[in-house]
Amino acid sequence: ALVEFSMHNCCVGGTAYSSDYSGVLAKELKKIYGDEFVCVFLNGFCGNLNHHDVSKPFDKEFKYYIPIGKILAEEFVRVERSGLLVITGKIRSVEKNIKTNRRELPVEELQRLRDIVYVKYKGKQPEGYLDLAFPESPQMEFYNANRMLERFDKTPVEQDVQLKVFKIGDCAFFASPCEMFNQFAQRIKSGVDTKHNFMIELANGSPTCYVP
């Protein structure tokens, strides 16, 4: 089965490797459909969709990924048992390479970032844990400023972006690189004539930035 859901697949905090809620989803579906059942997870447009408020401290004790995966599995079974539509028609695809410019920053802002990295912190990342909930911490202040400078100093002004669409009858798959804000998914769905639409982000390689 192909399953698409629009939310960051990173509910496990810290530095652990994890298949996260999509892994729980796959295991729960194997319990119902058998060990040979394969669930292919597609990350929907979720650049601005998270399981918690990222401006607040992250609860490292609560295992968010488990209930999320189980809820998705329950919903999958409900939909499957209510009767699946039979999609018929030719398989068609189209891909297009476009060029897009990076977002520019004022000269004053770039200088402010350079002062943070090279004057305030002497070009070295402060020791300590990086936590998005504390953007004013020395660790996050340096990290954000340094990452932004690397984006401007090491990437071209113009970048290639590859877009793809696959269509089977009344079902379409839209594939884009980057972490796309969900409003783009809504725009696409409102502008196409296909009834069943899958949005796939982080596809086709680079670039891997967020697109707000």
Side-chain angles (χ1 to χ4, degrees), residues 90-169:
K90 293 182 178 180
I91 298 176
R92 290 172 288 167
S93 68
V94 62
E95 65 178 66
K96 185 175 183 179
N97 293 313
I98 65 171
K99 290 187 180 295
T100 182
N101 291 336
R102 71 183 185 193
R103 180 182 292 183
E104 297 294 342
L105 285 180
V107 174
E108 307 80 46
E109 176 62 10
L110 285 171
Q111 186 57 53
R112 185 185 74 84
L113 296 173
R114 295 189 198 284
D115 288 343
I116 290 174
V117 172
Y118 299 111
V119 178
K120 187 173 182 179
Y121 295 107
K122 311 299 182 186
K124 293 183 65 176
Q125 171 75 44
E127 293 185 4
Y129 182 66
L130 293 171
D131 195 328
L132 290 173
F134 300 99
E136 302 304 321
S137 69
Q139 293 80 13
M140 286 303 301
E141 184 182 41
F142 177 91
Y143 175 79
N144 286 328
N146 191 54
R147 191 171 70 162
M148 186 68 75
L149 287 176
E150 286 186 347
R151 175 71 65 182
F152 277 85
D153 292 341
K154 298 181 181 180
T155 60
V157 173
E158 190 176 67
Q159 297 197 47
D160 293 317
V161 177
Q162 187 181 63
L163 305 174
K164 291 184 178 181
V165 180
F166 299 90
K167 190 174 181 182
I168 310 172

